[in-house]
Amino acid sequence: MKDDVSLEKVMGTIKNWTEENTNTPTSSLLVSLDDGSFHVGYYAGMGNSDSSPLSKFMPLYQATVEKLYQQGRLVETGRAFTLYPGSHRFKSLVLKN
């Protein structure tokens, strides 16, 4: 069975990744300050976090995030941070309507 992903589903996922919800650990959309790549950060359990490059997702995710970022609809927010020693420096992204 082929995995078809619609733009509507991708936008819904991006909205979930960019919501500011401090009550539950959820995935978040990040931009690397080191090389400009996009990542999805997530809670890995036992107080640890990690990330996966967006390039590992279906191509529509990467293309949509890049376009939204170039249009200024995805905006960097907060202070730069690392997920663990030696990781990229990241900033969170928020989707502006």
Side-chain angles (χ1 to χ4, degrees):
M1 183 173 162
K2 185 177 176 185
D3 245 354
D4 287 329
V5 173
S6 68
L7 183 57
E8 184 177 313
K9 181 178 185 326
V10 169
M11 284 302 297
T13 302
I14 291 170
K15 285 178 184 176
N16 286 338
W17 287 341
T18 59
E19 285 180 347
E20 295 184 43
N21 185 356
T22 57
N23 295 334
T24 30
T26 58
S27 298
S28 56
L29 189 57
L30 310 172
V31 62
S32 169
L33 300 180
D34 298 331
D35 65 8
S37 61
F38 298 101
H39 297 250
V40 176
Y42 56 90
Y43 179 69
M46 297 186 66
N48 297 308
S49 295
D50 205 349
S51 70
S52 291
L54 198 58
S55 60
K56 290 189 174 188
F57 289 74
M58 296 181 95
L60 186 56
Y61 285 93
Q62 179 89 22
T64 304
V65 167
E66 287 174 356
K67 185 174 183 178
L68 292 170
Y69 190 75
Q70 290 168 352
Q71 292 174 341
R73 292 189 57 207
L74 279 174
V75 180
E76 297 175 13
T77 185
R79 292 184 172 176
F81 60 90
T82 59
L83 295 172
Y84 51 84
S87 80
H88 287 234
R89 292 175 307 127
F90 295 105
K91 278 197 141 186
S92 296
L93 293 172
V94 174
L95 183 64
K96 300 289 181 183
N97 293 330

